[in-house]
């Protein structure tokens, strides 16, 4: 980490987005993570994505659990309300926050210990409820803050920094998210900004449970020979299926692409997702096929990345519950309290 | 043989098989007595089971209006062969046994000092009905009919209730009338009616209502403006969330669009329930969970977070006996300490103790104002006895001019006007800071919510002085809480006395009766009903003004007594334990007996010297 305070001034010609904000308006305080940490790249990608999408920073709520990844919400979106909750329980807190006000954008940031071990249950249930959120797991396969223990996403046979092999099967959060009905599922790599930023943008624009598993090597505890979450390993085994562009609004697709090389998905909010295919046989709108593809490539030792599945027609938890459009936290007495007359009637029926 | 004689003052106990449909017939019996203007208090004693195990329904009829459990049975309606022996045993000498005489039961199975009333219920039923479900359900109505003749209950009172219950379904009403008459006819023709126990019309009920505490608390949450309910099924709290659901569907669903002005989530466990409640509370919605002791145990970590991060949350804890399954369908007040000091670190929480369904409603609504005002978790401590039983109580009232107290919430306009916003800054000297809802203002008022590591402006710090400063402010806030929670209610004896009794929650009706019983034996005692924690000044005063104070509670470890000693620095010798914890509701005779015994033994000790 650096101890230099972040300068408040910025270049007068710094680009502004549609709301007149600069990228700096989406930043947070200075990171206290290790220099070179993959998580900082993800924070930068979140800042970039929110800036480019013209999101008002205060309309985003960022929530996290406990761990290195969960510390990062301090380092981006300084004008957003943030909530550093308890270990593994971000999903329930986010679900409750979403119930209270359906009008905000919810960004949940978690890690592999937070989501695949202590919070595995909450991760799973928030996905199956279709909570409208972007859920990013900054996945490095180790517990950083407690100095290098394996997490549940560490691959079987992977070696720790001290040379001990992991004997337990790894949990693939992407596979679980697909199985539990996440309507937007992606995997990326903190070292691949070009792939990650559009993936986050697509997730933020998505209605429903959007899940991104982002491999994010731990430079201190899991970046050595024998690790399967190191920069080198992930680069070598990365099998990207597509490259995503998020096209905002309803602009026409005018460019010509060779047949079968591009897939366009229209999302609920009207945003268009343009997928340039890298694997010709991959269909990102076919959930069952995606699950099969994932398993086959996993067996070959490949890490499949890209936008793995998207349902452009997805709904969310509020649709399923039939909640009012007006946010619950803004309802007044007249909307909520049935009043004395109703009570008198009830009394009469109880005598 | 002696025959117990009593008018409007006896206990009827129904021994049934769980799942046989007896519950509604038994309730009909209790309600018919209420309709005759006589106090009747029903209590369910049920197993951890859906079908097949024994279940009991006890109705205490009291001329004096006592509603606590009494103990002992004057008339046993023995409908369950499994529990026959123990049921026979529980009848008081000279009492009555009502049973199905279709099958011959050997004389050795009866008691010589109990009056036996046989009605061939199965035979009557089988002669009349062919469908097995009809036989089962109408058998219950037939015994209600027979009992009405035996106890001189006005059949029109029962018919009126049946007509209301099945309004619009005339065939059903008539079928139930017929079954009722079958039972009445048999009794009137074949038995000496009435027996020594009779119900006589009176005028005790007034405008009171019969309702269940859990449903009342759920209704209170609707009136209190709760919009988010996250819960996990657990006996005996489940019917609270179900009550909320029922009244939300009735009152909060848009008639035209079907849109719901509420959200209810059955969570995956209690950890997720309280997590959702905290997330919703953080985001400005009124949110609650309903649970019981084991749920409170699971929520401990989150409760600490909510305490330190100062997030409003309401928890309804319907208390029951300890872990696992079985005894948990029995009542206790055993979560007082685990709720008051829930979680890690130095924490203290607000507790409310309703005495009956009316207070479940009142406190069920008030808890949300307190949680918002104090920005902290608030527990409403029910128990199985008030939660899952129908109880006569004052009718529900609501003041339409009342508005939700959302507490100190800073608005965008105030931020724009330049008001200083520090999330943990005590601006008013009451320890309560201002908060903002997420999304309030584009550039002002946002903050990062953490447990403890922050300063008055919610900036991250691990400085010891900042931590301590915050902890002191939280204490100040707790002292403020003591001034706004419902105060304890004091009721002094006619004669001056140095004896006092402290009690709370579902103990109230038994305590009322015990005070009268003690007065009859010459022991005058002042009583104080605690309604909330932290304790107001009136609690300390009460203890100071008495030489000996009995603390009556339904747990083994005298948890309220511990809380009083700990919080008010009371000399433990001054607080006498009166503890009832076998899972049955506490009775007046137990309380009076315990106090009498202790009072007698205390006279031997030079009491005043020991205390002063």
């Amino acid at each position: 980490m650096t101890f230099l305070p972040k300068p408040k001034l910025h270049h007068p010609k710094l680009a502004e987005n549609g709301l007149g904000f600069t990228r700096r308006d989406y930043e947070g305080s200075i990171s206290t993570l290790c220099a070179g940490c993959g998580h900082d790249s993800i924070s930068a990608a979140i800042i970039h994505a929110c800036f480019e999408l013209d999101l008002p920073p205060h309309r985003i709520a960022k929530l996290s659990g406990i761990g290195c990844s969960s510390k990062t919400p301090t380092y981006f979106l300084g004008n957003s309300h943030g909530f550093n909750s308890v270990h593994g329980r971000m999903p329930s807190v986010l679900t409750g926050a979403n119930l209270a006000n359906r009008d905000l954008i919810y960004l949940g940031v978690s890690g592999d210990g937070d989501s695949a071990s202590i919070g595995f249950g909450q991760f799973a249930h928030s996905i199956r409820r279709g909570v409208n959120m972007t859920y990013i797991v900054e996945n490095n396969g180790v517990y950083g803050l407690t100095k290098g223990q394996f997490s549940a996403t560490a691959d079987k046979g992977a070696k720790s920094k001290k040379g001990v092999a992991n004997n337990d099967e790894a949990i693939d959060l992407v596979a679980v998210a697909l199985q539990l009905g996440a309507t937007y599922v992606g995997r990326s790599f903190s070292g691949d900004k070009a792939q990650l930023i559009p993936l986050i943008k697509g997730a933020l624009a998505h209605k429903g449970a959007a899940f991104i598993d982002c491999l994010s090597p731990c430079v201190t505890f899991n970046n050595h020979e024998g690790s399967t979450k190191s920069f080198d390993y992930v680069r070598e085994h990365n099998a990207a299926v597509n490259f995503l562009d998020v096209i905002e609004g309803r602009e026409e697709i005018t460019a010509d692409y060779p047949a079968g090389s591009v897939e366009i998905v229209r999302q609920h909010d009207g945003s268009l997702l343009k997928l340039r295919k890298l694997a010709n046989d991959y269909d990102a709108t076919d959930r069952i096929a995606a699950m099969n593809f994932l398993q086959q490539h996993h067996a070959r030792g490949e890490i499949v990345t890209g936008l793995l599945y998207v349902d452009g027609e997805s709904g969310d938890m509020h649709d399923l519950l039939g909640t009012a459009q007006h946010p619950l936290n803004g309802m007044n007495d007249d909307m909520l309290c049935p009043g004395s007359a109703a009570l008198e009637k009830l009394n009469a029926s109880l005598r | 043989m002696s025959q117990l004689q009593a008018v409007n003052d006896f206990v009827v106990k129904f021994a049934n098989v769980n799942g046989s449909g007896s519950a509604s017939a038994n309730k009909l019996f209790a309600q018919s007595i209420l309709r005759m203007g006589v106090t009747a208090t029903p209590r369910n004693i049920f197993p951890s089971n859906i079908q097949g195990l024994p279940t009991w329904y006890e109705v205490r009829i009291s001329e004096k209006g006592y509603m606590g459990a009494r103990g002992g049975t004057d008339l046993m309606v023995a409908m369950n062969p499994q529990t026959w022996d123990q049921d026979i045993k529980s009848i008081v000498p000279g009492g009555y046994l009502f049973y199905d005489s279709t099958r011959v039961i050997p004389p050795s199975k009866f008691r010589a000092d109990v009056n036996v009333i046989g009605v061939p219920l199965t035979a009557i039923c089988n002669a009349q009905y062919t469908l097995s479900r009809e036989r089962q359900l109408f058998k219950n109505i037939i015994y209600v009919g027979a009992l009405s003749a035996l106890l001189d209950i006005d059949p029109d009172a029962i018919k009126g209730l049946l007509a209301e219950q099945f309004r619009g379904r005339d065939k059903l009403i008539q079928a139930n009338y017929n079954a009722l008459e079958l039972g009445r006819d048999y009794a009137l023709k074949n038995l000496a009616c009435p027996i020594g126990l009779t119900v006589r019309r009176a005028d005790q009920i007034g405008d009171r209502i019969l309702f269940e505490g859990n449903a009342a608390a759920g209704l209170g949450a609707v009136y209190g403006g709760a919009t988010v309910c996250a819960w996990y099924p657990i006996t005996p709290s489940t019917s609270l969330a179900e009550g909320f659901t029922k009244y939300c569907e009735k009152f909060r669903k848009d008639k035209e669009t079907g849109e719901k002005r509420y959200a209810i989530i059955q969570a995956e466990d209690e950890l997720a329930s309280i997590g959702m409640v905290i997330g919703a509370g953080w985001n400005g919605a009124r949110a609650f969970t309903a649970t019981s002791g084991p749920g409170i145990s699971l929520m401990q970590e989150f409760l600490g977070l909510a305490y330190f991060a100062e997030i409003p949350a309401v928890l309804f804890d319907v208390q029951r006996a300890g872990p696992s399954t079985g005894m948990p369908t029995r009542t206790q007040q055993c979560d007082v300490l685990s709720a008051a000091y829930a979680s890690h670190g130095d924490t203290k929480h607000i507790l409310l103790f309703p005495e009956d369904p009316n207070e479940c409603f009142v406190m069920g609504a008030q808890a949300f104002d307190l949680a918002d005002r104090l920005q902290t978790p608030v527990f409403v401590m029910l128990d199985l006895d008030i939660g899952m039983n129908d109880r006569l109580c004052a009718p529900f009232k609501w003041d339409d001019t009342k508005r939700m107290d959302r507490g100190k919430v800073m608005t965008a306009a105030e931020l724009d006007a330049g008001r200083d916003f520090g999330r943990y800054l005590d601006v008013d000297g009451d320890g309560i800071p201002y908060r903002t809802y997420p999304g309030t203002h584009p550039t002002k008022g946002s903050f990062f919510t953490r447990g403890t590591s922050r300063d008055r402006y919610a900036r991250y710090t691990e400085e010891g002085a900042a931590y301590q400063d915050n902890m002191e402010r939280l204490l100040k806030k707790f002292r403020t809480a003591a001034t706004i929670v419902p105060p304890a209610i004091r009721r002094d004896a006619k004669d001056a006395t140095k004896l006092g009794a402290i009690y709370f929650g579902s103990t109230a009706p038994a305590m009322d009766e015990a005070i009268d019983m003690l007065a009859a034996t010459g022991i005058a005692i002042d009583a104080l009903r605690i309604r909330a924690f932290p304790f107001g000044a009136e609690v300390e005063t009460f203890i100071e003004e008495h030489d000996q104070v009995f603390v009556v509670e339904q747990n083994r470890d005298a948890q309220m007594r511990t809380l009083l000693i700990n919080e008010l620095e009371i000399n433990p010798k001054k607080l006498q334990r009166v503890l009832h914890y076998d899972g049955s509701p506490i009775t007046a005779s137990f309380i009076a007996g315990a106090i009498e015994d202790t009072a007698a033994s205390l006279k031997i000790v030079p009491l005043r010297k020991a205390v002063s």
Side-chain angles (χ1 to χ4, degrees):
Chain A
M1 66 174 280
T2 171
F3 295 95
L4 292 173
K6 218 172 198 174
K8 289 235 187 294
L9 294 169
H10 60 72
H11 195 279
K13 283 185 185 159
L14 204 57
E16 291 180 356
N17 66 8
L19 298 175
F21 290 118
T22 71
R23 273 195 52 185
R24 299 297 307 275
D25 294 315
Y26 293 86
E27 289 178 353
S29 57
I30 201 151
S31 170
T32 60
L33 300 173
C34 307
C37 178
H39 295 359
D40 285 334
S41 309
I42 301 172
S43 296
I46 291 169
I47 290 166
H48 206 114
C50 293
F51 169 77
E52 288 191 349
L53 283 176
D54 296 340
L55 299 178
H58 71 296
R59 302 302 293 173
I60 306 168
K62 47 180 186 173
L63 298 101
S64 63
I66 295 292
C68 289
S69 56
S70 291
K71 284 172 81 95
T72 65
T74 312
Y75 317 137
F76 57 80
L77 302 175
N79 283 320
S80 304
H81 270 67
F83 197 156
N84 200 179
S85 67
V86 290
H87 201 13
R89 316 295 175 212
M90 173 277 285
S92 65
V93 178
L94 190 152
T95 302
N98 190 307
L99 288 169
N101 183 358
R102 60 188 301 174
D103 284 354
L104 299 185
I105 294 163
Y106 294 92
L107 175 60
V109 177
S110 181
D112 39 305
D114 205 52
S115 279
S117 289
I118 188 168
F120 196 39
Q122 295 216 338
F123 156 73
H125 288 278
S126 67
I127 298 283
R128 57 180 276 273
R129 286 192 185 100
V131 180
N132 188 10
M133 63 180 170
T134 297
Y135 189 134
I136 301 179
V137 167
E138 306 188 346
N139 183 356
N140 58 17
V142 287
Y143 287 79
L145 279 180
T146 53
K147 303 196 174 177
Q149 300 81 6
F150 280 122
S151 84
T153 64
D155 290 304
K156 193 170 185 174
K159 283 208 173 76
S160 75
K161 202 174 177 183
K162 288 175 181 161
V164 183
N166 172 41
N167 296 322
D168 301 336
E169 277 296 338
I171 291 172
D172 182 355
L173 292 172
V174 157
V176 179
L178 279 169
Q179 205 257 317
L180 293 175
T183 44
Y184 182 106
V185 181
R187 176 146 50 209
S188 191
F189 171 42
S190 65
D192 189 351
K193 210 172 151 180
Q195 186 192 44
L196 180 59
I197 293 170
L199 260 186
I200 295 173
K201 286 169 70 177
L204 288 167
H206 182 76
K207 182 182 185 184
F211 176 71
I212 298 171
D213 175 30
C214 189
L215 292 157
S216 175
C218 173
V219 289
T220 306
F221 297 110
N222 207 9
N223 198 29
H224 47 268
E225 184 80 32
S227 159
T228 59
K229 298 274 192 288
S230 66
F231 277 107
D232 288 347
Y233 188 92
V234 176
R235 277 201 190 98
E236 277 162 30
H237 295 80
N238 190 342
V241 291
N242 50 30
F243 189 86
L244 170 68
D245 286 324
V246 177
I247 303 167
E248 291 156 65
R250 285 148 190 82
E251 62 187 89
E252 290 295 308
I253 311 284
T254 50
D256 271 343
Y257 300 103
S261 70
V262 164
E263 199 176 351
I264 307 284
V265 180
R266 182 184 290 275
Q267 295 212 97
H268 206 276
D269 68 335
S271 65
L272 295 172
L273 304 176
K274 184 180 75 179
L275 288 162
R276 271 184 283 133
K277 290 192 175 188
L278 299 175
N280 281 332
D281 56 343
Y282 197 83
D283 176 2
T285 60
D286 184 337
R287 188 164 77 104
I288 308 294
M291 289 162 78
N292 283 332
F293 188 92
L294 206 64
Q295 296 304 325
Q296 283 158 3
H297 286 256
H298 176 74
R300 285 189 228 148
E302 291 174 4
I303 303 165
V304 177
T305 62
L307 177 56
L308 305 176
Y309 174 67
V310 61
D311 174 0
E313 299 298 311
S314 58
D316 78 339
M317 175 176 63
H318 285 286
D319 295 335
L320 298 169
L321 292 174
T323 332
Q325 291 301 318
H326 191 100
L328 295 175
N329 71 347
M331 291 187 176
N332 60 23
D333 293 83
D334 294 339
M335 297 167 89
L336 299 177
C337 185
S340 62
L343 213 47
E344 281 306 322
K345 232 168 128 182
L346 183 69
N347 281 331
S349 73
L350 300 171
R351 288 185 177 121
Chain B
M1 193 198 312
S2 78
Q3 292 195 339
L4 206 60
Q5 302 291 320
V7 179
N8 290 355
D9 189 16
F10 55 93
V11 173
V12 182
K13 195 168 183 175
F14 298 82
N16 298 100
V17 178
N18 210 14
S20 67
S22 57
S24 54
N26 296 345
K27 184 174 175 181
L28 181 69
F29 173 83
Q31 278 179 300
S32 68
I33 295 167
L34 289 168
R35 284 286 168 98
M36 290 178 68
V38 180
T39 305
T41 308
R43 279 188 172 81
N44 257 309
I45 301 119
F46 62 95
S48 179
N49 168 262
I50 298 301
Q51 201 176 52
L53 284 187
T55 174
W56 292 269
Y57 189 86
E58 185 184 285
V59 182
R60 179 176 186 193
I61 295 129
S62 169
E63 175 82 37
K64 287 184 179 154
Y66 294 136
M67 291 189 285
R70 193 203 68 179
T73 304
D74 301 324
L75 166 61
M76 172 63 73
V77 181
M79 302 299 293
N80 186 359
Q82 285 178 85
T83 56
W84 177 273
D85 291 341
Q86 94 181 71
D87 292 338
I88 301 294
K89 219 182 269 177
S90 71
I91 303 169
V92 301
Y96 302 83
L97 166 69
F98 177 99
Y99 81 111
D100 179 357
S101 60
T102 307
R103 248 186 73 224
V104 179
I105 293 174
S108 63
K109 287 286 195 184
F110 295 96
R111 257 172 59 186
D113 60 344
V114 164
N115 303 287
V116 177
I117 306 160
V119 176
L121 292 168
T122 307
I124 297 172
C125 235
N126 290 357
Q128 192 74 21
Y129 307 105
T130 47
L131 296 174
S132 64
R133 189 64 188 157
E134 273 190 338
R135 282 179 175 176
Q136 191 177 39
L137 291 178
F138 286 127
K139 190 179 184 177
N140 301 326
I141 301 296
I142 292 171
Y143 74 60
V144 172
L147 289 172
S148 72
L150 290 162
L151 300 173
D152 215 5
I153 295 172
D154 182 356
D156 288 341
I158 306 176
K159 285 184 178 169
L161 286 160
L162 286 168
E164 286 165 33
Q165 190 184 343
F166 299 112
R167 187 172 294 144
R169 287 178 288 173
D170 289 350
K171 268 190 185 164
L172 260 178
I173 297 175
Q174 199 49 52
N176 277 282
Y177 282 3
N178 293 344
L180 191 75
E181 290 301 342
L182 279 174
R184 277 188 70 79
D185 283 351
Y186 182 89
L188 290 169
K189 282 181 191 146
N190 300 288
L191 304 166
C193 292
I195 57 170
L197 309 175
T198 51
V199 181
R200 186 176 57 206
R201 249 183 207 286
D203 189 17
Q204 299 177 351
I205 307 304
D207 64 349
R208 284 185 289 173
I209 56 172
L210 184 72
F211 206 51
E212 185 212 76
N214 280 351
L219 181 69
V222 174
Y223 274 75
T227 51
V228 174
C229 164
W231 67 293
Y232 186 75
I234 180 170
T235 304
S237 77
T238 304
S239 58
L240 203 158
E242 287 170 351
F244 181 72
T245 308
K246 179 180 160 186
Y247 292 112
C248 275
E249 277 170 8
K250 190 171 169 155
F251 295 126
R252 294 255 199 91
K253 205 166 161 176
D254 192 280
K255 296 268 182 312
E256 281 155 31
T257 62
E259 275 197 352
K260 296 171 176 171
R261 296 190 297 278
Y262 61 94
I264 299 165
I265 298 272
Q266 185 187 317
E268 59 269 30
D269 54 30
E270 284 90 345
L271 284 77
S273 309
I274 191 66
M276 289 176 200
V277 168
I278 289 169
W282 173 74
N283 213 0
R286 295 193 148 185
F288 75 95
T289 188
T291 189
S292 189
I296 299 294
S297 297
L298 285 169
M299 294 173 187
Q300 296 280 314
E301 186 188 20
F302 254 134
L303 286 167
L305 179 79
Y307 174 82
F308 288 110
E310 298 180 67
I311 296 167
V314 172
L315 298 95
F316 292 95
D317 177 6
V318 189
Q319 299 167 92
R320 53 174 233 191
S324 190
T325 191
M327 281 306 279
T329 59
R330 307 297 197 273
T331 195
Q332 275 190 358
Q333 298 174 317
C334 52
D335 300 338
V336 176
L337 286 176
S338 69
Y341 298 129
S343 202
H344 52 282
D346 295 317
T347 53
K348 293 174 199 253
H349 304 287
I350 316 291
L351 314 181
L352 304 178
F353 300 100
E355 66 162 345
D356 69 358
N358 183 281
E359 264 190 0
C360 288
F361 170 76
V362 172
M363 290 179 176
Q366 187 183 19
F368 293 94
D369 276 354
L370 288 169
D372 269 350
R373 170 59 46 188
L374 295 162
Q375 299 175 22
T376 198
V378 173
F379 292 74
V380 187
M381 307 293 285
L382 292 79
D383 62 22
L384 187 147
D385 189 36
I386 33 176
M388 287 189 72
N389 286 313
D390 288 310
R391 184 72 40 86
L392 199 60
C393 66
F396 301 132
K397 285 202 169 68
W398 191 259
D399 173 5
D400 287 326
T401 62
K402 188 195 151 337
R403 289 288 167 264
M404 289 187 275
D405 174 11
R406 300 307 317 262
K408 299 185 189 180
V409 181
M410 211 173 273
T411 62
E414 288 171 305
L415 290 164
D416 272 331
R419 269 195 80 170
D420 184 24
F421 174 68
R423 174 64 185 96
Y424 301 106
L425 190 65
D426 180 11
V427 281
D428 302 320
D430 55 5
I432 308 171
Y434 275 80
R435 62 176 183 144
T436 53
Y437 296 153
T440 297
H441 193 282
T443 54
K444 297 183 179 107
S446 73
F447 65 94
F448 202 85
T449 304
R450 294 183 180 85
T452 48
S453 309
R454 31 62 174 176
D455 64 10
R456 293 173 175 185
Y457 287 85
R459 292 171 302 219
Y460 188 84
T461 176
E462 296 176 21
E463 284 272 335
Y467 173 80
Q468 212 166 324
D469 171 64
N470 185 58
M471 294 299 278
E472 290 299 323
R473 182 184 53 77
L474 284 168
L475 267 188
K476 188 193 267 180
K477 186 170 87 165
F478 205 64
R479 285 194 293 273
T480 300
T483 65
I484 62 172
V485 295
I489 294 177
R490 179 170 175 165
R491 205 163 25 129
D492 283 349
K494 273 191 222 128
D495 305 318
T497 174
K498 283 291 176 187
L499 288 182
I502 286 178
Y503 64 104
F504 59 98
S506 69
T507 302
M511 193 69 216
D512 294 343
E513 187 180 353
I515 290 169
D516 291 352
M517 286 169 104
L518 288 164
T521 63
I523 299 175
I525 193 160
D526 297 337
L528 184 79
R529 181 164 70 88
I530 288 178
R531 296 197 299 161
F533 175 73
F535 306 120
E538 72 284 0
V539 177
E540 207 168 351
T541 307
F542 181 85
I543 297 172
E544 269 169 19
E545 288 176 5
H546 294 87
D547 291 342
Q548 287 294 321
V549 176
F550 296 91
V551 185
V552 185
E553 47 190 320
Q554 301 182 54
N555 57 64
R556 186 195 69 180
D557 289 342
Q559 297 187 24
M560 183 62 85
R561 177 178 176 271
T562 303
L563 202 57
L564 288 163
I565 291 166
N566 196 40
E567 294 292 323
L568 303 178
E569 300 186 6
I570 307 290
N571 177 0
K573 297 244 179 326
K574 197 170 174 177
L575 300 183
Q576 301 292 330
R577 300 175 178 87
V578 178
L579 305 172
H580 181 91
Y581 57 93
D582 68 359
S584 64
I586 194 166
T587 62
S589 53
F590 174 85
I591 300 171
I595 291 178
E596 263 178 79
D597 289 352
T598 317
S601 71
L602 286 172
K603 279 174 193 160
I604 303 164
V605 184
L607 181 63
R608 271 155 220 279
K609 266 185 195 167
V611 174
S612 60

